[in-house]
Amino acid sequence: MAIVPPTPANIDAAARALRSGNLIGIPTETVYGLAGNALDDRAVAAIFAAKGRPQFNPLICHVADAAALEPLVVMDARARALAARFWPGPLTLVLPRREGCPVSLLASAGLDTLAVRVPAHPVAQALLEKAGVPVAAPSANRSGRISPTRPEHVAGDLGSGLLVLDGGTCTVGVESTILDLSEPQARLLRPGGVAVEQIEALTGPLAGAGPGIKAPGMLASHYAPAKPLRLDAGAARGKEALLGFGPNVPPGYTTVLNLSPSGNLAEAAANLFAYLRQLDATVCDGIAAMPIPENGLGLAINDRLRRAAAPRDVAA
Ligand code: TXA
Ligand code: MG
């Protein structure tokens, strides 16, 4: 078993492995990441290969603190304010690459921007500090599948040969919010772990906010369980399992996992991917999901559910 506890010795070994070009599964507060040295073209190429990820889809670069970004990207006043308010935490900023930026061009997928984030998870923090290099890390799932929020999910998806640092269950449970700051108006590319309302309180209205947004590089079908997913579930149809939310669960389901019986969106986000995996593994014809309010973390949850329910042959 390659899931190891985050002892100082294991973090040291993981940092050395990263620096010498190997891939590691790492915990973050959002989801587990498949981490590689972002300065190393071969390590970055290996990330794409391990995930089966299309090479036009760029990666997020993780660092221990905003100061480490100085040689990599150009941060304007907006970026600094957002960094001061939300880092470390589940926010990713897309910024212009600085001239001479040493990060592999493959990580940017040929764009002149780089997505960057300072994760809050203490194990990720310790590892990034030790590694001393920027770390490219997409979610540690096969491309198109459900993101991992437990170390076992990573091993199940990418193989047990991969070394995974055990950071427990991810507390946020959905990926980071992605903001594009490469143009004068800030644009929301992906709703995520920081609520849009909190960001807009600082930046003013974001372009692209609202339900059903489309981010570049994000496929229509994503986060998909093997079984079909039906949204806005009422009463059960056939032998469906129910992904519930709130106190009023509709009738007719024998298998129910409730994201949050009290209707708490942060709790629902934290449970989302693990419950989708659990329901997918039960004997049922499909999964029906109850409606989730379209505000706060509900935006991120609904975004993931819509993609999970999208037709699977839309490999845009
Ligand atoms: O919470 C997270 O962000 C997790 C953890 C591991 O940090 N990572 C994550 O990475 O979700 P990934 O690769 O699964 O999703 C990154 C998204 C993709 O949709 C990609 O298209 C977008 O970020 N992205 C990356 N670089 C970009 C860029 N330069 N411009 C626009 N979008 C970018
Ligand atoms: Mg992903």
Side-chain angles (χ1 to χ4, degrees), residues 30-200:
T30 58
V31 299
Y32 276 73
L34 178 62
N37 182 347
L39 306 179
D40 180 338
D41 285 321
R42 283 177 49 190
V44 175
I47 293 176
F48 282 93
K51 278 184 62 89
R53 177 172 176 122
Q55 297 214 348
F56 57 78
N57 193 359
L59 305 178
I60 299 172
C61 220
H62 300 67
V63 291
D65 53 43
L69 293 175
E70 210 48 53
L72 310 185
V73 288
V74 181
M75 289 184 77
D76 62 12
R78 289 176 307 180
R80 286 179 203 288
L82 285 160
R85 169 76 177 80
F86 295 109
W87 282 349
L91 176 68
T92 293
L93 301 178
V94 173
L95 296 166
R97 287 174 71 109
R98 188 177 285 290
E99 217 184 299
C101 169
V103 169
S104 165
L105 285 169
L106 190 52
S108 287
L111 301 172
D112 51 13
T113 54
L114 185 66
V116 292
R117 155 164 134 80
V118 177
H121 195 295
V123 174
Q125 274 285 328
L127 179 66
L128 288 167
E129 258 169 45
K130 277 273 170 206
V133 291
V135 166
S139 51
N141 50 285
R142 297 277 306 167
S143 187
R145 310 305 303 210
I146 302 173
S147 301
T149 53
R150 294 271 320 151
E152 305 80 47
H153 299 161
V154 181
D157 225 28
L158 296 177
S160 54
L162 182 74
L163 182 81
V164 184
L165 283 175
D166 188 348
T169 301
C170 301
T171 53
V172 175
V174 290
E175 294 86 345
S176 58
T177 303
I178 305 181
L179 279 191
D180 184 356
L181 297 182
S182 67
E183 286 177 14
Q185 195 185 0
R187 175 175 295 274
L188 179 69
L189 297 184
R190 177 175 75 183
V194 177
V196 168
E197 295 88 338
Q198 270 187 290
I199 294 170
E200 288 186 325

Side-chain angles (χ1 to χ4, degrees), residues 4 35-36 39 58 99 113 124 127 182 201 206 225 232 253 271 285 287 298 308 315:
V4 300
L39 306 179
E99 217 184 299
T113 54
L127 179 66
S182 67
L206 295 171
D232 293 323
Y253 295 91
N271 288 328
D285 307 339
I287 302 167

Side-chain angles (χ1 to χ4, degrees), residues 182-274:
S182 67
E183 286 177 14
Q185 195 185 0
R187 175 175 295 274
L188 179 69
L189 297 184
R190 177 175 75 183
V194 177
V196 168
E197 295 88 338
Q198 270 187 290
I199 294 170
E200 288 186 325
L202 201 84
T203 59
L206 295 171
I213 61 155
K214 275 229 159 55
M218 285 180 78
L219 307 180
S221 169
H222 207 118
Y223 312 105
K227 303 232 168 77
L229 178 71
R230 180 166 73 89
L231 302 181
D232 293 323
R237 293 188 198 157
K239 288 200 185 67
E240 283 177 330
L242 183 73
L243 186 67
F245 177 79
N248 303 312
V249 169
Y253 295 91
T254 45
T255 307
V256 177
L257 286 180
N258 197 328
L259 289 170
S260 173
S262 69
N264 178 303
L265 289 168
E267 181 185 27
N271 288 328
L272 178 67
F273 290 138

